[in-house]
Amino acid sequence: MKIANRKVTAERLVRDALEKARHFADYNIFTFLNEEGAIKKAREIDARIAKGEKVGRLAGVPYALKDNFLSTEGQTTAAAHILEGFVSPVTATAVEKLEREGAIMIGRTNMDAFAHGSSTESSYYGPTLNAHDRERVAGGSSGGSAVAVALDIVEFATGTDTGGSIRQPASFNGVYGLKPTYGTISRYGVVAMASSTDCIGFFTKTPDDMNLLMEIANGQDPKDLTTLPDYYDESEAKKIKKIGIIKDFDNTSVDSEIRNALVSKVELARSKGYEVVEIEMPALKYALAAYYIIVPAEVASNLSRYDGVRYGFRAKDTKDLDALYKNTRGEGFMPENKRRIMVGNFVLSSGFYDAYFLKAAKARTLIVKEYEKAFEKCDVLLSPVTPNPAFKLGEKTNDPVAMYLEDAMTVPLNLAGVPGLTIPAGKTKDGVALGLQLIGPRRSDKSLIEFSKELV
Amino acid sequence: MDINREDIKHLADLSDFALPESEIDVLGRNLQDIIGYISQLEELDTDNIEPTYQVFEMENVWREDEIKSQDASREQLLALTKEEKDHQIKVPKVL
């Protein structure tokens, strides 16, 4: 990242980033701009550098924070009305690690409320616009973060990926986006969506920046007992030689320009001596249905804590405690939050549990096994991120299933816990950004990042 | 399966939402579509397959059973509520 050469001051970098953020205000990227806090921190870093003190690997690097990461700077709302006014007294482990290295948060980014969505249209604060086409969606749920990096406002941004919420907006805006192996980065202090699939990750402009951020952010955290000791298992690492292409991946047909982008990367890989094999993964077509059972079930449980009593929004003039809960939740959640909570309570309710939740958990086993088998035949999978490029604003907001279908190729990784890296893959003839994803076995994150340089 | 208005009211109740009449029909149609979609799992043969509930490869991560200082103080946490009295969170009557 450009701070490393120290030819500019941290204050200059932060002021430039804030200036760009204001310039692009109509893209609705930020829910909060950290004007005073960021400049104060930048001055502190400049003073330390002037004194010859050692500073961190991200000293003075401006970054954008998805609004579901808790920190003491600004409200943490997860772009949801029900968290309005919540200023956290605690800081997420990931944020602590970045800031310990000197990174400076210049703003909190817009998202689908509680990360429920694939377009950043389901935000209490309105949609974020696509970086390259203002009539199209930013993707989601980490739409603001993807656009902040794509428009070069910041060097990097944080995201969360429960079913594609990093990889899909990265693809829609033409930047790198990594969903690490499940458990690589601590989830402590990040607003929970579905605890068995939630992953913390990043948006960057280069693979090297991604690797640096992973080196900084990974590791075991006593505050999140589902954290792995490292992000890369040297003992199991294989040199990538064989690339797998998934045969008949989809239950939706893939856009021809995305297919062409895939073919051209395959040809590039072949020309560099990589072997390419076709892999059959028939269970993947059930991943989306399994995902939209398992994740709403976990959502219903995780979101039961929002009751208006302890923090955030509280409905006014309620006659008793029950009405306080019901009105707060009725007014405080977006329609998509309500749909997911209700579907979750449906699939968990007596009489339906076996047919839905248990069935989906068994399907999950088949999906996990299918990836294990695939990685016996290849070292990495190369696949589309989505069936279609970024769609028009408003095109799918009234049809939840149509919106869900856009997640068909991202959700299987979350169910299996394997890492996925979105790489930029050119643009459509209309100038809409395209991306592809590299998928590897558990704890192969570093291999994916390294290998992505071969496909530029 | 068919989702009717009573089902929607019941699910809203389980979810602790006040649901205005105006939202019931739209939510009903949405949930009908979603449940229709996820029901395709019926086709998948899962006989003799064990369920998977988590994909974290480590088990039994132990820690010492000792009290550690918390990241936020009682005062900081109480400051987050809308109404506080005598170090207690105030809510409308329960019964």
Side-chain angles (χ1 to χ4, degrees):
Chain A
M1 286 185 226
K2 57 186 162 192
I3 188 66
N5 60 29
R6 304 274 153 70
K7 283 178 185 153
V8 285
T9 62
E11 184 173 347
R12 183 75 262 148
L13 284 179
V14 164
R15 284 189 184 277
D16 284 351
L18 286 166
E19 177 55 37
K20 277 188 253 176
R22 285 186 293 263
H23 174 75
F24 290 114
D26 52 348
Y27 283 75
N28 199 27
I29 299 163
F30 293 96
T31 56
F32 164 73
L33 273 188
N34 190 22
E35 314 228 15
E36 285 177 24
I39 290 169
K40 183 167 167 280
K41 282 185 175 170
R43 284 180 178 157
E44 284 165 12
I45 283 171
D46 286 333
R48 286 175 59 196
I49 292 171
K51 276 193 254 168
E53 287 177 26
K54 193 171 182 297
V55 290
R57 287 174 281 176
L58 299 174
V61 177
Y63 79 99
L65 187 67
K66 189 177 179 183
D67 196 31
N68 57 351
F69 286 72
L70 272 59
S71 88
T72 54
E73 292 181 294
Q75 297 179 18
T76 301
T77 70
H81 181 32
I82 206 165
L83 274 171
E84 199 169 31
F86 173 63
V87 179
S88 172
V90 305
T91 299
T93 299
V95 174
E96 262 179 12
K97 287 189 171 190
L98 296 171
E99 303 220 344
R100 202 180 295 150
E101 295 287 345
I104 297 172
M105 187 269 277
I106 64 125
R108 293 178 157 277
T109 58
N110 197 16
M111 56 186 281
D112 290 293
F114 286 110
H116 302 173
S118 313
S119 66
T120 311
E121 291 168 288
S122 180
S123 162
Y124 181 59
Y125 302 102
T128 295
L129 310 185
N130 187 286
H132 306 291
D133 182 341
R134 295 160 55 97
E135 289 179 7
R136 292 180 191 269
V137 299
S141 65
S142 317
S145 282
V147 175
V149 174
L151 289 177
D152 207 19
I153 296 170
V154 286
E155 291 293 303
F156 74 92
T158 70
T160 57
D161 191 315
T162 301
S165 285
I166 291 174
R167 288 162 288 149
Q168 186 254 33
S171 177
F172 280 9
N173 294 283
V175 296
Y176 289 85
L178 177 68
K179 177 209 107 63
T181 302
Y182 179 79
T184 306
I185 300 175
S186 171
R187 293 180 291 116
Y188 176 78
V190 178
V191 176
M193 177 177 162
S195 303
S196 84
T197 70
D198 285 349
C199 285
I200 312 303
F202 300 103
F203 297 87
T204 64
K205 287 170 251 182
T206 69
D208 286 334
D209 285 355
M210 188 68 79
N211 193 51
L212 175 62
L213 293 168
M214 290 300 292
E215 282 177 4
I216 288 166
N218 86 89
Q220 258 169 340
D221 180 6
K223 294 171 184 168
D224 173 5
L225 294 180
T226 58
T227 38
L228 295 164
D230 51 51
Y231 83 110
Y232 183 59
D233 190 341
E234 298 277 357
S235 64
E236 286 178 26
K238 283 193 290 185
K239 177 114 181 77
I240 290 175
K241 290 182 195 131
K242 215 187 264 185
I243 302 167
I245 303 296
I246 304 164
K247 198 180 170 192
D248 303 326
F249 184 131
D250 39 312
N251 43 9
T252 46
S253 55
V254 177
D255 174 85
S256 63
E257 290 187 278
I258 294 178
R259 282 191 190 276
N260 292 342
L262 183 69
V263 168
S264 78
K265 290 291 182 200
V266 166
E267 281 167 6
L268 176 65
R270 277 210 181 98
S271 73
K272 292 187 173 187
Y274 291 95
E275 191 185 339
V276 180
V277 291
E278 233 181 28
I279 310 272
E280 290 197 46
M281 301 182 76
L284 286 197
K285 76 170 187 169
Y286 296 100
L288 191 68
Y291 177 89
Y292 275 104
I293 293 170
I294 291 167
V295 165
E298 295 188 28
V299 161
S301 170
N302 272 328
L303 272 65
S304 63
R305 73 188 71 177
Y306 302 105
D307 56 14
V309 173
R310 291 153 300 160
Y311 46 79
F313 166 75
R314 179 188 281 199
K316 289 198 172 66
D317 304 324
T318 49
K319 64 180 189 335
D320 58 24
L321 187 61
D322 195 47
L324 170 74
Y325 293 153
K326 286 193 154 63
N327 291 355
T328 298
R329 290 168 64 81
E331 294 167 34
F333 285 129
M334 301 292 285
E336 182 58 23
N337 304 138
K338 292 182 189 174
R339 287 192 282 265
R340 293 196 189 200
I341 292 169
M342 288 169 78
V343 169
N345 283 322
F346 170 79
V347 299
L348 289 172
S349 55
S350 78
F352 299 111
Y353 177 87
D354 284 0
Y356 289 95
F357 190 74
L358 185 61
K359 183 83 178 176
K362 289 177 177 177
R364 190 174 189 177
T365 304
L366 294 175
I367 291 156
V368 169
K369 286 188 174 156
E370 205 143 83
Y371 279 107
E372 286 170 0
K373 278 197 312 205
F375 293 125
E376 287 168 9
K377 295 179 195 137
C378 67
D379 307 316
V380 65
L381 290 162
L382 178 62
S383 127
V385 182
T386 54
N388 298 294
F391 41 92
K392 294 266 173 75
L393 286 155
E395 194 180 316
K396 297 180 195 287
T397 39
N398 294 321
D399 187 347
V401 173
M403 188 76 89
Y404 295 176
L405 287 170
E406 293 299 310
D407 303 341
M409 294 160 174
T410 47
V411 300
L413 288 76
N414 297 76
L415 293 177
V418 298
L421 174 66
T422 287
I423 59 171
K427 287 188 173 178
T428 66
K429 60 181 184 331
D430 298 329
V432 181
L434 294 174
L436 295 168
Q437 62 180 336
L438 293 168
I439 307 163
R442 292 175 58 78
R443 292 163 87 182
S444 68
D445 307 47
K446 188 174 185 168
S447 296
L448 295 184
I449 296 168
E450 280 303 312
F451 178 66
S452 71
K453 297 179 193 170
E454 289 287 288
L455 296 183
V456 175
Chain B
M1 71 166 282
D2 286 328
I3 304 289
N4 60 37
R5 287 176 68 86
E6 288 312 306
D7 294 327
I8 294 297
K9 284 182 184 170
H10 176 61
L11 286 171
D13 201 44
L14 287 178
S15 308
D16 252 345
F17 299 144
L19 203 58
E21 282 292 318
S22 59
E23 286 185 37
I24 293 178
D25 286 337
V26 175
L27 261 173
R29 280 199 299 278
N30 292 161
L31 261 63
Q32 184 75 60
D33 288 350
I34 295 166
I35 290 165
Y37 181 80
I38 62 180
S39 296
Q40 66 172 284
L41 264 194
E42 283 170 27
E43 301 163 22
L44 185 65
D45 179 4
T46 53
D47 287 350
N48 303 314
I49 303 292
E50 290 297 315
T52 296
Y53 299 111
Q54 54 102 352
V55 290
F56 185 63
E57 65 190 21
M58 298 161 83
E59 282 180 22
N60 296 340
V61 180
W62 301 102
R63 60 164 175 79
E64 292 304 314
D65 185 19
E66 45 190 38
I67 298 168
K68 293 200 173 141
S69 65
Q70 297 299 306
D71 287 355
S73 68
R74 188 178 178 206
E75 282 67 33
Q76 283 177 313
L77 294 175
L78 280 169
L80 298 174
T81 188
K82 291 280 184 247
E83 278 190 79
E84 187 210 330
K85 195 182 173 190
D86 302 332
H87 280 79
Q88 309 276 331
I89 293 171
K90 201 172 162 192
V91 293
K93 68 181 166 107
V94 176
L95 292 172

